Amino acid sequence: MIYPERFSNLPAYAFPRLRGLLDPHPAGGPVVNMTIGEPKHPFPDWVKTVLAENIDGFGVYPPNDGSPELLDAISGWIKRRYGVEFDAQTGAMALNGTREGLYNVAMALLPEQKRGKRPVVLIPNPFYQVYMIAAISIGAEPVFVPATRQGGYLPDYGALPAEVLDRTVAAYICSPGNPQGAVADAGYWQDLLALAEKHDFRIFSDECYSEIYRGDTAPMGVLTAAEAAGSDPERIVLFQSLSKRSNLPGLRAGFIAAGPESTAHIRRLRSYAGAPMPLPLQRVAERAWADEAHVTQNRRLYAEKYVAADQVMQGVPGYQGPEGGFFLWLPVEDSEAAALKLWTQAGIRVLPGTYLGQDTNGENPGKAYIRVAMVAPKDEMVEALTRLRDCLYN
Ligand SMILES: Cc1ncc(COP(=O)(O)O)c(C=O)c1O
């Protein structure tokens, strides 16, 4: 059989890679899994009722773009959360989680060439892996831009050579970031929007962690920043999700919000090739976007975990708690060696940062970090973090 050349050099995905590293060895203590970003707080009770009330919807093909009611709920949420007027009836589309959207939007919107040359897609490094596969799938050159401690864990796209920026068709950005938990502030957004304007590229803003943050000020999102800057709405795609916000990773519910022209392109591609979100699940999503009480409660649980993690990790050299999201990004000498040590000596599974990054100029910016998901119940998390600290840093 012949297989596509463009995927021939792909390493195994992070989780099978981790299993290959750890599973040959027995656990050295009570097993705790802190690898995957799968929320464990309860989802709201009414999910069951709404699903039951709408169960007949499994008997029909669902609307491709999202039901009018779901799109209305999304308009309302965008207005409340981002403070902008937005018509989701023409500017949004329901997704089966953001991951498929992060992939399919590249297919739907990005051109084969720019100025007669191979296009570039900018990707923060380390990064959520679908950004890379989207770029490769459309024949673009993925350019990985380190997001290191010196740069506040956000990529400095403006420092790239003009030759690269002029070929750029899109830049992915994730705020709050996975894995580092950094939040883009107004200045960062302003610079990025100006750069995108100057070099004529799109911004793909992955904000799936936007509702999990420290303190009382919600992270600024791309729609708010774009309105303040007067940016072309067609330049921007927002990706949102209920997976983290509402503890519903298995619902597979997200949306894109973009300019009407871009949205029409995305809807058209998905009407050919996509799987629309089942109607009963759209009804649950509609209810979830309209309700903030459970989100506030969820954020409170994470706020307690931020404080608890800071207490356990205080004194660990280089420790910095996240501004948002639910990962700790902990400095180590070598990420695979640290993950193996934690497993064999303490029974704790964490993800080596190396698996989330790519070599740029011979260096993988994830190599000296491990990613630790704070998803377990607080007491369990504190106990595991204490063992982690004692194993790695004492
Ligand atoms: C940065 C980031 N983006 C997107 C996703 C995908 O989320 P979902 O497809 O569940 O909406 C995840 C999931 O872990 C993520 O960490």
Side-chain angles (χ1 to χ4, degrees):
M1 283 293 159
I2 305 172
Y3 293 98
E5 182 63 29
R6 60 186 178 277
F7 299 134
S8 59
N9 292 325
L10 279 187
Y13 199 61
F15 295 106
R17 235 173 133 184
L18 184 66
R19 287 196 288 276
L21 177 74
L22 303 186
D23 287 359
H25 308 276
V31 173
V32 182
N33 188 350
M34 304 183 96
T35 57
I36 190 167
E38 181 179 76
K40 296 289 180 211
H41 299 161
F43 57 73
D45 272 348
W46 44 253
V47 168
K48 294 172 196 161
T49 323
V50 177
L51 191 57
E53 282 170 2
N54 289 282
I55 206 82
D56 288 350
F58 283 126
V60 296
Y61 280 114
N64 179 60
D65 305 342
S67 68
E69 296 84 359
L70 171 57
L71 295 174
D72 269 353
I74 289 172
S75 296
W77 183 78
I78 288 179
K79 178 158 193 216
R80 289 193 304 281
R81 173 59 175 82
Y82 295 116
V84 299
E85 290 297 336
F86 191 87
D87 183 5
Q89 298 297 340
T90 53
M93 167 155 207
L95 299 175
N96 294 298
T98 42
R99 184 166 62 173
E100 59 114 332
L102 289 160
Y103 185 84
N104 286 318
V105 165
M107 288 280 165
L109 297 186
L110 302 184
E112 290 82 358
Q113 291 201 326
K114 187 172 176 194
R115 303 192 169 112
K117 295 187 179 149
R118 187 181 179 200
V120 161
V121 171
L122 304 181
I123 295 174
N125 192 16
F127 58 99
Y128 185 57
Q129 300 291 292
V130 73
Y131 310 155
M132 174 178 75
I133 204 73
I136 294 173
S137 296
I138 59 159
E141 179 189 348
V143 169
F144 302 102
V145 182
T148 59
R149 189 180 183 107
Q150 294 86 316
Y153 291 117
L154 291 166
D156 184 3
Y157 292 140
L160 290 166
E163 186 279 325
V164 172
L165 290 167
D166 285 337
R167 282 194 293 128
T168 297
V169 288
Y172 283 97
I173 185 77
C174 184
S175 171
N178 170 8
Q180 311 97 320
V183 166
D185 64 12
Y188 186 89
W189 281 122
Q190 207 171 26
D191 292 348
L192 181 56
L193 287 159
L195 195 71
E197 191 67 40
K198 181 170 172 204
H199 295 277
D200 191 20
F201 61 82
R202 293 175 189 266
I203 297 173
F204 289 168
S205 183
D206 179 354
E207 301 184 22
C208 71
Y209 292 96
S210 67
E211 306 315 287
I212 301 172
Y213 52 84
R214 269 180 205 253
D216 299 325
T217 310
M220 182 181 258
V222 72
L223 292 182
T224 315
E227 179 160 283
S231 307
D232 178 356
E234 300 298 340
R235 204 171 277 302
I236 282 139
V237 185
L238 161 70
F239 298 83
Q240 264 295 352
S241 172
L242 294 177
S243 297
K244 327 288 178 183
R245 172 188 182 270
S246 302
N247 299 315
L248 288 166
L251 185 67
R252 309 310 302 132
F255 68 80
I256 58 100
E261 191 182 291
S262 306
T263 301
H265 278 77
I266 296 164
R267 288 176 172 185
R268 187 179 57 183
L269 180 80
R270 269 183 113 275
S271 66
Y272 277 94
M277 194 184 171
L279 192 55
L281 309 191
Q282 293 198 27
R283 298 289 186 223
V284 175
E286 176 193 332
R287 172 73 189 267
W289 288 115
D291 184 78
E292 280 308 312
H294 73 284
V295 184
T296 309
Q297 170 59 18
N298 193 31
R299 194 157 44 241
R300 212 170 283 140
L301 295 178
Y302 283 113
E304 288 173 9
K305 287 182 173 177
Y306 291 143
V307 173
D310 289 352
Q311 277 167 358
V312 175
M313 302 309 287
Q314 70 177 332
V316 167
Y319 169 75
Q320 203 176 311
E323 293 173 81
F326 50 54
F327 296 113
L328 299 179
W329 187 236
L330 301 178
V332 292
E333 213 169 279
D334 176 88
S335 68
E336 279 190 310
L340 192 56
K341 183 174 180 193
L342 270 175
W343 175 243
T344 54
Q345 296 188 9
I348 297 170
R349 291 176 91 91
V350 298
L351 199 63
T354 301
Y355 297 177
L356 298 169
Q358 284 284 316
D359 274 6
T360 37
N361 303 322
E363 244 183 79
N364 182 329
K367 184 168 189 279
Y369 293 87
I370 50 171
R371 193 190 76 173
V372 180
M374 296 193 286
V375 290
K378 191 180 109 193
D379 291 350
E380 202 180 303
M381 182 201 90
V382 166
E383 191 271 335
L385 272 188
T386 308
R387 286 198 286 129
L388 178 152
R389 180 200 60 201
D390 293 347
C391 177
L392 287 186
Y393 300 106
N394 279 351

